[in-house]
């Protein structure tokens, strides 16, 4: 009797095509929109730039539902994660740079995928600035929060980011300090100085070291407090309702 050929095991670490589309949109089209706002509109149309970024970041998220319509509860989950990030930023408004936004965005990316992580990060930056003040810095903050959420989801899917507190906290601290910190320091130079030189750029980075270190430390602290309880609850929601499967 011939033995049946073994079934191929599905590679859970393989990224779907929509993630490649998301990477193109996030790494090419969204920076192009930001450059348009900075170079052509002279940072005066930041509301338009912010809305275009939200629309573009919605495209890869919508691609999750290429075979079915999204359920209202799936959109509600992302709205709740965005609201938590906005409320957390507001709750710690007296402590400069000590905010839980990046931690919540990372948890979203791990739980629901990079596409969801980016859109929650981008929306959190835009909505929270309704209270903190909109300006030409808003698109940069949206991109900074969003790209960290996207990377968290992609690296977790690929198995490069392990689901343990040490790995997640190291990723959170480094990404906040290096990605978000350097991105916003660079933005500050472009927004408030007409003298763009390497010396000015290094001075901008040096002046932001303390603020970036505080922000990174806050991300690590909030990840230590929130990761396990939030991921456990989000896992139960995903299992019960089959939401936002990555």
């Amino acid at each position: 009797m011939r033995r049946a050929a073994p079934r191929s095991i599905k590679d859970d670490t393989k990224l779907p095509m929509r993630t490649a589309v998301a990477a193109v949109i996030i790494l090419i089209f969204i920076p192009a929109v930001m450059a348009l706002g900075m170079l052509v509109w002279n940072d005066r149309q930041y509301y338009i730039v912010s809305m275009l970024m939200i629309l573009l970041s919605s495209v890869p998220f919508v691609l999750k539902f290429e075979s079915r319509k999204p359920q209202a509860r799936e959109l509600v989950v992302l709205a709740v994660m965005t609201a938590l990030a906005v409320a957390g930023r507001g709750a710690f408004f007296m402590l400069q740079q000590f905010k839980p936004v990046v931690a919540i965005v990372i948890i979203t990316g791990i739980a629901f995928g990079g596409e969801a992580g980016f859109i929650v990060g981008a929306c959190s930056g835009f909505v929270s600035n309704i209270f903190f003040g909109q300006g030409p810095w808003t698109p940069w903050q949206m991109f900074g929060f969003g790209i960290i959420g996207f990377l968290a989801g992609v690296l977790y899917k690929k198995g490069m980011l392990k689901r343990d507190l040490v790995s997640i906290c190291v990723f959170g601290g480094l990404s906040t300090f290096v990605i978000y910190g350097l991105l916003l320091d660079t933005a500050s130079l472009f927004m408030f100085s007409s003298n763009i030189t390497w010396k000015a750029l290094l001075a901008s980075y040096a002046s932001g070291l303390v603020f970036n270190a505080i922000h990174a430390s806050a991300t690590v602290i909030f990840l230590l407090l929130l990761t396990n309880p939030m991921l456990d609850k989000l896992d139960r929601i995903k299992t019960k309702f089959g939401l936002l499967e990555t």
Side-chain angles (χ1 to χ4, degrees):
M1 183 175 178
R2 296 178 63 182
R3 301 178 63 181
R7 294 182 179 179
S8 60
I9 299 175
K10 182 179 179 181
D11 185 7
D12 290 334
T13 65
K14 185 177 180 179
L15 297 175
M17 180 59 66
R18 65 171 182 267
T19 303
V21 174
V24 171
I25 291 173
I26 291 169
L27 298 178
I28 297 177
F29 285 93
I30 289 180
V33 169
M34 294 170 64
L36 176 69
M38 182 175 61
L39 300 176
V40 178
W41 291 330
N42 199 26
D43 279 333
R44 294 180 180 179
Q45 303 296 335
Y46 47 83
Y47 273 112
I48 296 177
V49 173
S50 299
M51 294 308 299
L52 287 174
M53 289 176 63
I54 291 175
L55 288 174
L56 286 171
S57 65
S58 300
V59 172
F61 171 71
V62 171
L63 290 177
K64 280 178 171 290
F65 308 106
E66 63 267 20
S67 61
R68 63 179 178 86
K69 293 183 178 180
Q71 303 176 55
R73 62 170 69 101
E74 291 171 322
L75 303 179
V76 168
V77 169
L78 296 190
V80 168
M81 297 304 291
T82 301
L84 287 174
V86 173
R89 192 178 180 196
F92 292 88
F93 74 96
M94 294 184 66
L95 302 176
Q96 192 173 21
Q97 300 299 324
F98 196 87
K99 304 291 188 290
V101 180
V102 177
I104 294 173
V105 169
I106 289 172
I107 291 170
T108 303
I110 291 173
F112 299 122
E115 299 89 349
F118 188 90
I119 196 170
V120 168
C123 290
S124 298
F126 179 74
V127 175
S128 60
N129 276 357
I130 293 175
F131 308 100
F132 285 90
Q134 301 284 357
W137 51 84
T138 298
W140 293 85
Q141 291 177 322
M142 293 170 63
F143 185 73
F145 290 139
I147 194 66
I148 292 175
F150 179 73
L151 286 175
V154 170
L155 293 177
Y156 178 72
K157 180 71 174 179
K158 293 294 292 181
M160 299 172 67
L161 177 60
K162 304 299 181 182
R163 188 161 168 167
D164 64 81
L165 279 178
V166 174
S167 298
I168 294 174
C169 287
V170 169
F171 170 79
L174 288 177
S175 62
T176 303
F177 188 88
V178 176
I179 298 176
Y180 187 88
L182 296 185
L183 189 65
L184 268 295
D185 291 341
T186 303
S188 298
L189 182 63
F190 280 102
M191 286 185 289
F192 304 116
S193 175
S194 59
N195 183 27
I196 310 300
T197 64
W198 283 109
K199 186 176 181 180
L201 191 62
L202 291 175
S204 178
Y205 292 156
S207 64
L209 284 176
V210 174
F211 297 101
N212 295 335
I214 294 172
H215 196 185
S217 300
T219 298
V220 171
I221 291 171
F222 284 112
L223 283 172
L224 286 170
L225 296 173
L226 299 176
T227 298
N228 286 335
M230 287 190 72
L231 284 179
D232 288 344
K233 288 179 174 61
L234 293 174
D235 282 345
R236 287 198 291 270
I237 292 173
K238 286 173 60 179
T239 301
K240 184 176 181 179
F241 298 107
L243 300 183
L244 297 163
E245 295 295 340
T246 60

